[in-house]
Amino acid sequence: DPMNSTTYTMSRAALSASIRLYWAAIVAQAQANGLPAAVARVALDALPTGTLRLAGTSAKVEKGASARGVLAAVVYLSGAHAHKALCKWATSGCIATCLGHTAGRLLFDSARRPQAWKTALFLGDPATYKALVRLDMAALAGRARKAGAVPALRLDGASDTGLSVEMAEDAARLGVRLWEYTKSIERA
């Protein structure tokens, strides 16, 4: 599968156009894979304009990282309340108090809409999601080089998918540090 290859080179604009073209089918597949209808409805109308990016910012992370010469980015998915695969160790207590939907700026629609489309893409077309992660890693690495900083990416800002293990080779090749919080004994 060319989308799983570390050498996959589709441009961000072309990948974004492809996602838009197949968006309804991607969301339908995510729903078939267990995405709740409420999240799918939000995701259908949540794609931002322009080229698509998964990694964004966090005011708290930026403040701590920049003081240490790190250029950090974070990807926020919807969390375990949207699908067990997003945090398979979550208990009902964890889900009820998850920072991914109960704290700070993540409470607002301006954060929930991006979480919904990213989650739908993650569940509906994982290969395309990973291709977009690779593009985000490359862009972050380039920005960090220009700024004289160390690039760092957190793929599970409000989830615990373990994707950073799968993407570690790509990150190492690009010089991007990955960091996560996890309940997984194997990944801890």
Side-chain angles (χ1 to χ4, degrees):
D1 180 357
M3 295 292 272
N4 277 330
S5 168
T6 58
T7 60
Y8 184 74
T9 58
M10 182 181 268
S11 74
R12 184 180 301 277
L15 189 58
S16 297
S18 177
I19 291 168
R20 288 182 198 295
L21 181 64
Y22 296 105
W23 187 238
I26 292 169
V27 174
Q29 184 60 53
Q31 229 179 328
N33 291 340
L35 185 70
V39 179
R41 279 191 300 276
V42 172
L44 273 173
D45 296 322
L47 280 179
T49 58
T51 56
L52 301 175
R53 300 181 191 296
L54 296 170
T57 61
S58 160
K60 183 172 122 181
V61 169
E62 274 185 19
K63 186 175 183 179
S66 65
R68 292 170 179 80
V70 174
L71 181 62
V74 182
V75 178
Y76 289 103
L77 298 177
S78 293
H81 72 283
H83 195 286
K84 189 70 173 169
L86 300 175
C87 188
K88 67 182 178 181
W89 297 276
T91 63
S92 58
C94 283
I95 293 169
T97 60
C98 177
L99 296 177
H101 64 270
T102 63
R105 295 179 183 168
L106 297 177
L107 287 169
F108 300 107
D109 279 347
S110 60
R112 289 188 183 209
R113 290 177 56 78
Q115 286 176 319
W117 79 258
K118 293 169 188 180
T119 300
L121 184 60
F122 178 84
L123 294 171
D125 190 348
T128 298
Y129 182 90
K130 291 171 199 168
L132 200 50
V133 167
R134 288 182 188 96
L135 289 170
D136 281 2
M137 281 195 281
L140 178 65
R143 288 193 315 273
R145 266 192 302 281
K146 286 179 185 173
V150 175
L153 177 62
R154 183 172 175 200
L155 293 172
D156 281 320
S159 53
D160 193 358
T161 65
L163 185 60
S164 61
V165 173
E166 190 175 335
M167 303 300 293
E169 184 179 309
D170 294 288
R173 180 176 47 82
L174 293 164
V176 175
R177 292 186 186 172
L178 299 176
W179 92 98
E180 308 296 344
Y181 301 112
T182 185
K183 290 183 178 183
S184 166
I185 298 300
E186 295 83 25
R187 292 194 326 250

